[in-house]
Amino acid sequence: MTKKPKILLLDDDQDILDLYKEMLGALPSGPEIQTANSGARAIALLEAETFTLLISDLKMPKMDGLQLLTIVRKRFPSLRTVVMSALNDQQFKDRAYSMGIDQFLEKPRTGKEINYFCECIEGLLTKGESTGGFRGVQSKSLMDIIQLECLSQSSSVLKITTGPVEGRIWIENGEVVDAVAADAIGEEAFRLIASWKGGSFEILPPELGRKRTIHSSYHALLLETAQAIDEAGAPSAVAEIPHGETAPPFKVDAAPSAPPAREREPDTADSKLFDSSRLPGIKFIVAVNRAKPRPPASWGLENPEGVGDWVDDTVNTFRRLGEKYQWGDFKSIEARGLQSNVAIITHNDHAIAAGWERSLAWAQVRDGMKKILARWIS
Amino acid sequence: MALPTGTFTMDRTGRIVTTTISNNFPEKLSLEIGHAVIDAFRKAKAAEVVLTEISMNFAALKLTARELRGGAIVFVAPRDSGDNR
């Protein structure tokens, strides 16, 4: 059964909230609507539940709409956002779009405007909100955006956010000169950002004179990165084109495949695995919850469910054998493969498997698995 | 219960071809281990993780299996008490 979309409506005027709740509740997709009359209340609700769409007023006392959007973009990057305002102020509109909102809408006044407003919201609710990838309008790959900036000899800073992690790429006169992501800098950071599967990004004004840490041409950089992504089996990052900008006139990446019907592991699980994705030599990670069958949390895998099922089956089979014949606690599985070596460890109800470069010594793999487990537990 | 030790080979049909596991241990034990190992190799391949060797580490025993044209050669060895792996 298809889950109903959920809208969080934020306005400091209770009458407006009641009116919009009634109006949006009649949309064909039958959304569930919750209301908040302050930014703080809205954030508390967003933390407690998953919403499809946030509709926020711009002008509010204490925390205004733009402040709220800053927090929302950082903490809930996949949430679709609509800003409503009684004023058609271009400056506010530009600022809101630069923050990655989906729509800036004027509060409707006439019956016709109400119809347009409702159609617009319905469109946002039904356009494949959970397809993954960088939340965006046109689903350009991040590599496309970088290529566009370089081809046009632009200078800019790309700020890319995925979950709690942020990365920046500095482009100066059409060349990528620096990148920073988490603890990594230079080409390592660039590759790390390129490996991210989703999030959102902004194009910030240039910071000319940035110390250069990347000396490869952007052609070479993009080629190497594309090869690394191919080898890792990870889909290329798909980035957002903010609404205020014109979509570049070249290829549009295919949208990532639709999410599985089962409920996914929580995003925190992905985030924990993502934290481990910078370990040297790691190629993929997958975490299976054996107590609650659901699509596994994963990083770097094209078919996480297939690998997750294998991990689950294998661990269960050998755990049962060990119990039956009293071989003591099940500790781990280590396997040599044609493409990667694989190690599996368990923690409570979870089994965590990681693929490693074959050149890595087993001592390094075991050390890496300990680090993954430590991050997972934390 | 005593721990098994030795090596056996299982062909792709699930039949034990050779074994050095003591007769004190039932053949059923080797068959169970062998089938589980071959199943693990096959399922890994189906998940596009092609494996050539797999080791299962228990507190008291280590099983190591190498893929052998659809079958497997399996090494069964009790663990040293100082081995924490």
Side-chain angles (χ1 to χ4, degrees):
Chain A
M1 194 175 73
T2 313
K3 270 176 82 174
K4 282 187 176 180
K6 281 174 79 173
I7 298 176
L8 177 58
L9 200 52
L10 170 61
D11 199 300
D12 58 331
D13 185 333
Q14 189 58 44
D15 290 339
I16 295 272
L17 286 177
D18 293 340
L19 178 69
Y20 279 68
K21 188 173 182 180
E22 190 181 340
M23 203 163 75
L24 296 171
L27 289 175
S29 57
E32 181 185 333
I33 297 165
Q34 294 209 32
T35 58
N37 55 11
S38 71
R41 170 73 182 148
I43 288 170
L45 285 169
L46 289 169
E47 281 174 339
E49 301 175 47
T50 304
F51 286 88
T52 316
L53 178 67
L54 167 69
I55 303 176
S56 172
D57 188 19
L58 201 54
K59 289 196 171 179
M60 289 180 293
K62 294 185 184 173
M63 190 189 294
D64 70 21
L66 292 177
Q67 284 175 296
L68 177 85
L69 282 172
T70 308
I71 297 166
V72 164
R73 280 278 62 83
K74 191 168 182 179
R75 291 171 60 180
F76 313 100
S78 60
L79 178 68
R80 294 191 180 282
T81 45
V82 168
V83 167
M84 285 190 307
S85 175
L87 303 169
N88 186 12
D89 185 316
Q90 190 59 40
Q91 192 191 355
F92 272 129
K93 199 182 263 190
D94 289 348
R95 282 182 66 195
Y97 274 132
S98 74
M99 295 169 95
I101 64 161
D102 289 273
Q103 286 288 330
F104 185 103
L105 299 173
E106 278 186 69
K107 286 183 178 172
R109 295 184 188 92
T110 65
K112 200 172 179 182
E113 283 176 357
I114 288 172
N115 286 343
Y116 284 146
F117 178 84
C118 289
E119 277 178 27
C120 193
I121 299 298
E122 179 68 9
L124 281 171
L125 291 176
T126 55
K127 72 172 183 181
E129 63 278 4
S130 301
T131 52
F134 278 74
R135 193 186 58 81
V137 186
Q138 298 297 329
S139 296
K140 301 291 175 193
S141 80
L142 182 58
M143 295 300 105
D144 284 346
I145 304 300
I146 294 165
Q147 196 172 32
L148 178 72
E149 289 291 290
C150 293
L151 277 172
S152 59
Q153 299 283 300
S154 297
S155 297
S156 61
V157 181
L158 299 183
K159 178 185 164 190
I160 304 104
T161 309
T162 182
V165 189
E166 181 187 305
R168 288 183 185 228
I169 296 171
W170 283 262
I171 298 171
E172 199 168 313
N173 300 321
E175 282 297 334
V176 178
V177 296
D178 191 16
V180 169
D183 300 331
I185 57 168
E187 291 189 21
E188 186 189 350
F190 186 90
R191 282 193 291 272
L192 177 62
I193 293 169
S195 72
W196 292 349
K197 291 177 185 173
S200 62
F201 89 96
E202 294 171 49
I203 300 177
L204 303 176
E207 292 176 19
L208 299 176
R210 177 90 184 169
K211 187 183 171 191
R212 189 160 191 163
T213 60
I214 296 176
H215 299 279
S216 306
S217 71
Y218 81 86
H219 291 291
L221 210 53
L222 293 176
L223 189 64
E224 281 174 19
T225 305
Q227 283 173 345
I229 289 169
D230 283 348
E231 283 167 13
S236 63
V238 178
E240 169 183 356
I241 308 291
H243 274 264
E245 301 186 18
T246 308
F250 47 75
K251 81 180 174 71
V252 177
D253 275 8
S257 57
R262 285 186 286 170
E263 186 189 353
R264 272 187 50 72
E265 279 281 281
D267 286 348
T268 48
D270 280 331
S271 170
K272 284 179 178 182
L273 294 189
F274 177 80
D275 286 345
S276 299
S277 66
R278 292 194 303 277
L279 290 170
I282 196 150
K283 295 178 81 174
F284 66 81
I285 320 176
V286 60
V288 183
N289 185 340
R290 291 175 293 117
K292 295 178 186 170
R294 52 167 53 157
S298 70
W299 171 84
L301 277 171
E302 278 182 345
N303 62 336
E305 287 207 48
V307 178
D309 287 346
W310 168 70
V311 169
D312 196 26
D313 281 352
T314 307
V315 167
N316 284 338
T317 300
F318 285 98
R319 191 189 284 270
R320 276 198 298 270
L321 268 181
E323 284 168 3
K324 182 176 177 184
Y325 292 108
Q326 298 173 16
W327 296 337
D329 290 342
F330 175 84
K331 297 269 191 186
S332 65
I333 292 178
E334 293 171 352
R336 292 181 195 279
L338 293 181
Q339 289 95 25
S340 333
N341 289 341
V342 180
I344 305 174
I345 50 175
T346 58
H347 175 69
N348 296 337
D349 289 328
H350 284 89
I352 303 169
W356 300 87
E357 296 281 354
R358 295 179 68 215
S359 56
L360 234 58
W362 278 109
Q364 290 173 289
V365 170
R366 284 170 204 135
D367 189 45
M369 293 305 290
K370 282 179 191 164
K371 286 176 180 164
I372 292 174
L373 183 60
R375 288 171 192 184
W376 181 263
I377 292 168
S378 72
Chain B
M1 180 182 281
L3 293 167
T5 181
T7 305
F8 66 90
T9 311
M10 180 173 268
D11 68 13
R12 68 174 68 192
T13 65
R15 187 170 57 97
I16 291 179
V17 183
T18 61
T19 182
T20 65
I21 305 258
S22 163
N23 286 337
N24 293 335
F25 295 96
E27 190 185 7
K28 184 176 167 250
L29 170 68
S30 300
L31 284 171
E32 271 191 87
I33 295 172
H35 288 154
V37 158
I38 288 174
D39 206 35
F41 280 127
R42 285 181 185 162
K43 285 181 176 168
K45 193 174 179 182
E48 296 165 16
V49 181
V50 183
L51 301 178
T52 55
E53 184 179 306
I54 188 165
S55 295
M56 270 63 66
N57 299 302
F58 297 88
L61 189 84
K62 180 173 183 175
L63 300 174
T64 300
R66 287 195 190 128
E67 208 274 340
L68 216 62
R69 297 177 189 173
I73 179 166
V74 183
F75 303 86
V76 183
R79 296 185 77 87
D80 295 337
S81 57
D83 189 348
N84 292 322
R85 207 187 308 159

